[in-house]
Amino acid sequence: MTEVLRTARERADSAAEQAGVVVRVLHELPELEQVAALCDQVWRPDPTVPTMTVEWLRVLSHVGNYVAAAFRDDLMIGATVGFFGPPDTRSLHSHITGVLPDGQVRGVGFALKTHQRAWALDNGVRTIGWTFDPLVSRNAHFNLAKLGARCRVYLESFYGDMPDELNAGDESDRLLLDWDLADPAVEQVLDGHPVQRAPGAVVALGIAGDQRPVPGEIKGRHVEVRIPQDIYAVRKARPETALRWRLAVRDVLGGLLADGAVITGFSREGGYLIDRGEDA
């Protein structure tokens, strides 16, 4: 066993213990049915378009992909599903990870992702990728400042129209993350030392007093793109402002990534930390 895998297993066990859960890989139909039901509880889709189907979960699990869940006592409170990428990439795509609302602030998501990392390393996987909405601040903080993933790709309207309650009425833009499982920088973040804002970084997109996006300047190597603290509340109260944010982030953040920049972290001020490279 490599040192990286040993450390990953220990970290996953510690995270599960701190969250008060047991995380395990699933294969049997009754538990896969629970995963499908949990996903629908979290995303609240149109009843005719379930978030996950039991049949798909069954096939994924049967052929050796990753389907796991977190249990508190006998209650499933979180689940995560991933499938392998092209053979030459030695990668896993983490398609979905969800935690019931009462478990979201108790470390369950971290326990699931560290378990996924240990499982992936044990199965010869080098990287895990997944997507998330660039406007959702809590997910950005979790993915970048807690897990240490990085991002180089902005996907515009990636899923098309999404009829679930969390995404309906908005464009499905996504960031595609790259989690290098054995990178020492990832280990450092997992140990509680996230990337900090670089001295002299300029704000390329800021927030006005009325919560509107305000374009800033793009110069130098390090820039920051800020987003609202709670885009769901903005969508509900001021949908026109939410649309402004979608278009502004697509333009500024998407443009930076298209030009070769990398998202390296997420700031305490609620902004993406971006490295444009030495030549910027």
Side-chain angles (χ1 to χ4, degrees), residues 134 151-156 173-175 204-205 218 225 245-263 272 274:
C151 176
R152 296 172 174 82
V153 179
Y154 190 101
L155 301 167
E156 185 175 330
D173 289 18
R174 293 293 184 267
L175 291 176
L205 186 66
I218 300 176
V225 173
W245 273 108
R246 175 65 71 202
L247 298 178
V249 169
R250 178 186 291 176
D251 179 54
V252 177
L253 184 60
L256 285 164
L257 296 183
D259 287 339
V262 180
I263 300 174
Y272 291 101
I274 298 158

Side-chain angles (χ1 to χ4, degrees), residues 16-17 19-28 30-32 34-35 38 67-80 108 111-112:
E17 183 178 359
V21 298
V22 173
V23 182
R24 54 186 174 82
V25 173
L26 308 179
H27 298 285
E28 302 303 322
E31 291 181 330
L32 298 177
Q34 290 182 61
V35 171
L38 182 144
V67 181
F71 295 84
R72 185 168 289 151
D73 297 324
D74 293 327
L75 178 65
M76 184 185 293
I77 61 173
T80 181
V108 179
L112 285 167

Side-chain angles (χ1 to χ4, degrees), residues 182-216:
D183 187 346
V186 170
E187 294 275 1
Q188 186 174 23
V189 174
L190 291 171
D191 283 336
H193 305 287
V195 174
Q196 300 298 312
R197 189 174 189 267
V202 300
V203 177
L205 186 66
I207 305 176
D210 60 358
Q211 296 299 299
R212 289 182 298 105
V214 179

Side-chain angles (χ1 to χ4, degrees), residues 24-137:
R24 54 186 174 82
V25 173
L26 308 179
H27 298 285
E28 302 303 322
L29 275 173
E31 291 181 330
L32 298 177
E33 290 170 352
Q34 290 182 61
V35 171
L38 182 144
C39 291
D40 284 348
Q41 281 184 265
V42 173
W43 277 272
R44 303 185 293 277
D46 181 317
T48 65
V49 188
T51 309
M52 300 289 292
T53 66
V54 176
E55 293 83 0
W56 190 34
L57 291 168
R58 178 67 159 175
V59 170
L60 287 174
S61 174
H62 181 70
V63 299
N65 290 286
Y66 180 75
V67 181
F71 295 84
R72 185 168 289 151
D73 297 324
D74 293 327
L75 178 65
M76 184 185 293
I77 61 173
T80 181
V81 179
F83 47 85
F84 291 108
D88 62 333
T89 65
R90 292 175 61 189
S91 65
L92 186 79
H93 181 78
S94 181
H95 177 64
I96 197 166
T97 300
V99 179
L100 294 179
D102 64 352
Q104 286 180 348
V105 296
R106 302 177 187 176
V108 179
F110 190 71
L112 285 167
K113 294 303 289 186
T114 52
H115 181 277
Q116 184 184 76
R117 176 173 178 258
W119 182 92
L121 285 166
D122 199 26
N123 283 272
V125 172
R126 296 180 300 190
T127 63
I128 298 177
W130 67 95
T131 64
F132 77 100
D133 187 336
L135 290 180
V136 181
S137 178

